[in-house]
Amino acid sequence: MLGVGLSLASAQQAPPAQPPTVRLNAGSAPLDIRQPISVWVDPRGDATIDKVTRASPGLFAMVPSATFHDIDAARALWVHLRLENTSNTSGDWIVTIPLPDVDRVSAYQLSSSGAWIRHSAGDGVAVADWPRIGLYPEFSVRIDAHSTRDLYLQVHNFKGLELPLEIDNAQSHAQRRDLEYVMLGLTIGALLMLSAWCAAQYAQRRNRVEGWFTLYSLLIAVVIATLSGLFAQFLWPQSPKWSDSAHEVLTLLGVGTTLLFVRHVCALSLSHPWFDKLLLAGAWLVVAMTPLYWVLDRAVTDIAYASAIGIAPCLGFVAIALAWLRKNLSAPWLALSFAPQGLVLMVLSLQSLRLLPGGWLGQHALIGAVALSVPVLLHAVNLRLRERREIKTRADHLPTQDALTGLLTDELFAKQLHDAVVRATEHKEPAAVVLVEVVNYERIKQV
């Protein structure tokens, strides 16, 4: 009993774990934090920085960096980082949380006077008020040579999340950010050029499908700019409420309209009418869910969103499989266009429902898959349009031509022959009648 008591006493008096030191150097490569981090989940979400620092490090616990933090609208996540500058000169580093859709991240640093300074960024804060205006929350940290600085991060989000953390020196970070802007600009610019080309085709031929595809490619460009955080920075920097819901709302619009184009290309209304109606209802249901974000609680709409982006790709895959079995010429191209984004959406759905481990790369993969799918989907749509134009041309000539051989029908040939005879006999026009016998004509008609 004495031994057990001493053991308990020593366990109670054991010093709390200190946060690991992240060593930085001005010439080092960008650091993606993989080591364990010091975190605490505030059950009420109202703890102040003074309370946290007074109780630290007793409040905090060491967890792997890829841990899922079970927070909600009431609970907040605190992260304690200890950054050490190992170089001989002072330097500026940028701490980045690459999550464009996180609600709010607040960073606390000690000023030269010893007071804690707070800066906040995220969907719940107008981008114009961010300490560093960009695609996602970023915070600048200045550390003197051979010194250490503590950084506290407070994260509010309506649902749990994994918190990716990146640290890079200011110069290297600026270069990486410029490259990211260039890639986004090229992607969105290509979609806008594709939309302009579709608009020109619509103006020339007045085909409604090409007109709808013009609007669809514009919508996808808007979706990509929103998911990446580009539009929140440049178009609505003063509208945090819209930024908070735009990610899910525009994604649902993109998924629903994509499903409508899949239904159009697959053309299952005659061979599988019941599934065609189900596909149409599913597409419009996904689109109709978007107003719910301004009516229902975010926790409820998040479940609906995760279910929609998981079920819609399944309907699309079944439709493409049925079209492929019917030897639809557009089906292989449609599969090539839809498969990448469909798989990414299903993975994001399972991650949102916590059936798969999360990861911020899922959103970047979705942007890439959607951007690459649009031109391939346009090719599939054009194949279907060309096939339908050929069928319509043959249908328009059915009153005058045999559908199998293209020869004139008996009635029209007899009329033209009669007119030729009349012109020859009454008007003395030179004329001749040539009889061509196709020896295998009966065989052609049989097979």
Side-chain angles (χ1 to χ4, degrees):
M1 291 177 62
L2 180 61
V4 172
L6 291 174
S7 299
L8 291 174
S10 62
Q12 292 173 355
Q13 296 172 3
Q18 296 291 332
T21 301
V22 180
R23 290 177 171 82
L24 305 173
N25 188 286
S28 60
L31 177 62
D32 187 3
I33 295 183
R34 301 293 184 185
Q35 64 193 54
I37 56 177
S38 179
V39 303
W40 171 59
V41 174
D42 178 9
R44 297 178 57 183
D46 58 353
T48 63
I49 183 63
D50 293 329
K51 174 185 175 181
V52 171
T53 52
R54 282 197 303 267
S56 176
L59 287 176
F60 289 79
M62 299 300 299
V63 300
S65 59
T67 299
F68 180 87
H69 306 286
D70 191 14
I71 60 177
D72 51 30
R75 293 181 289 180
L77 171 69
W78 285 82
V79 179
H80 182 194
L81 297 177
R82 180 159 292 165
L83 309 178
E84 179 184 1
N85 181 6
T86 61
S87 57
N88 296 323
T89 58
S90 302
D92 293 317
W93 277 267
I94 308 299
V95 178
T96 303
I97 297 89
L99 294 174
D101 57 345
V102 67
D103 287 350
R104 180 192 293 265
V105 180
S106 299
Y108 294 88
Q109 301 181 59
L110 274 176
S111 65
S112 56
S113 61
W116 287 100
I117 300 176
R118 170 186 170 183
H119 296 290
S120 299
D123 276 349
V125 182
V127 177
D129 297 332
W130 289 13
R132 290 178 56 86
I133 296 177
L135 302 177
Y136 26 72
E138 300 173 348
F139 304 98
S140 178
V141 181
R142 182 166 185 81
I143 310 177
D144 295 332
H146 298 290
S147 63
T148 302
R149 176 176 284 272
D150 284 329
L151 178 69
Y152 289 89
L153 298 176
Q154 183 188 28
V155 182
H156 287 90
N157 202 46
F158 75 97
K159 66 175 182 177
L161 77 170
E162 293 182 13
L163 190 70
L165 293 170
E166 296 178 355
I167 304 178
D168 196 4
N169 65 76
Q171 183 178 2
S172 174
H173 177 79
Q175 294 175 351
R176 291 177 59 199
R177 187 169 66 171
D178 291 343
L179 178 61
E180 191 169 7
Y181 280 122
V182 169
M183 297 303 297
L184 285 173
L186 289 174
T187 301
I188 297 173
L191 289 174
L192 293 178
M193 292 295 293
L194 187 65
S195 178
W197 183 83
C198 292
Q201 295 296 312
Y202 171 71
Q204 179 182 1
R205 294 189 287 219
R206 296 295 177 180
N207 188 296
R208 288 186 304 172
V209 176
E210 290 172 331
W212 285 116
F213 202 91
T214 300
L215 298 178
Y216 171 73
S217 54
L218 285 174
L219 173 63
I220 296 302
V222 172
V223 170
I224 290 176
T226 302
L227 289 179
S228 63
L230 201 63
F231 272 7
Q233 178 180 350
F234 291 105
L235 286 192
W236 45 76
Q238 300 286 354
S239 303
K241 186 174 182 180
W242 167 243
S243 295
D244 198 30
S245 57
H247 296 275
E248 288 81 9
V249 168
L250 292 176
T251 300
L252 287 177
L253 287 177
V255 171
T257 51
T258 301
L259 210 57
L260 288 174
F261 272 104
V262 169
R263 172 183 175 267
H264 172 76
V265 176
C266 291
L268 302 173
S269 58
L270 295 179
S271 58
H272 301 84
W274 286 106
F275 184 77
D276 180 75
K277 294 178 181 178
L278 176 63
L279 193 62
L280 179 63
W284 283 113
L285 180 62
V286 171
V287 174
M289 287 174 56
T290 54
L292 298 179
Y293 280 84
W294 295 284
V295 179
L296 302 179
D297 183 74
R298 285 292 299 276
V300 177
T301 55
D302 184 63
I303 297 176
Y305 167 79
S307 303
I309 66 172
I311 295 174
C314 297
L315 294 175
F317 283 131
V318 174
I320 294 172
L322 293 175
W324 201 316
L325 291 176
R326 295 181 60 241
K327 304 195 183 308
N328 188 324
L329 296 178
S330 304
W333 293 100
L334 193 59
L336 181 62
S337 167
F338 190 76
Q341 62 172 312
L343 292 175
V344 173
L345 284 171
M346 294 172 69
V347 170
L348 289 178
S349 172
L350 295 176
Q351 289 178 347
S352 183
L353 296 173
R354 296 186 60 183
L355 300 177
L356 282 179
W360 64 274
L361 284 175
Q363 199 167 43
H364 292 71
L366 178 61
I367 291 175
V370 170
L372 292 175
S373 70
V374 176
V376 184
L377 179 59
L378 177 60
H379 181 63
V381 170
N382 282 334
L383 285 178
R384 191 61 180 162
L385 287 176
R386 185 173 64 186
E387 183 181 9
R388 290 183 175 182
R389 278 196 295 266
E390 293 174 353
I391 294 174
K392 186 178 183 301
T393 301
R394 291 198 299 269
D396 291 341
H397 287 84
L398 281 179
T400 59
Q401 293 181 354
D402 177 64
L404 178 64
T405 62
L407 298 176
L408 295 176
T409 59
D410 292 343
E411 296 79 6
L412 187 58
F413 176 76
K415 183 179 182 303
Q416 292 193 7
L417 177 61
H418 178 267
D419 293 343
V421 171
V422 169
R423 289 195 302 271
T425 56
E426 295 183 1
H427 303 288
K428 305 305 180 182
E429 290 185 3
V433 176
V434 179
L435 177 63
V436 179
E437 182 181 0
V438 181
V439 296
N440 60 338
Y441 180 61
E442 293 298 329
R443 174 66 177 169
I444 291 175
K445 291 198 297 182
Q446 291 175 5
V447 301

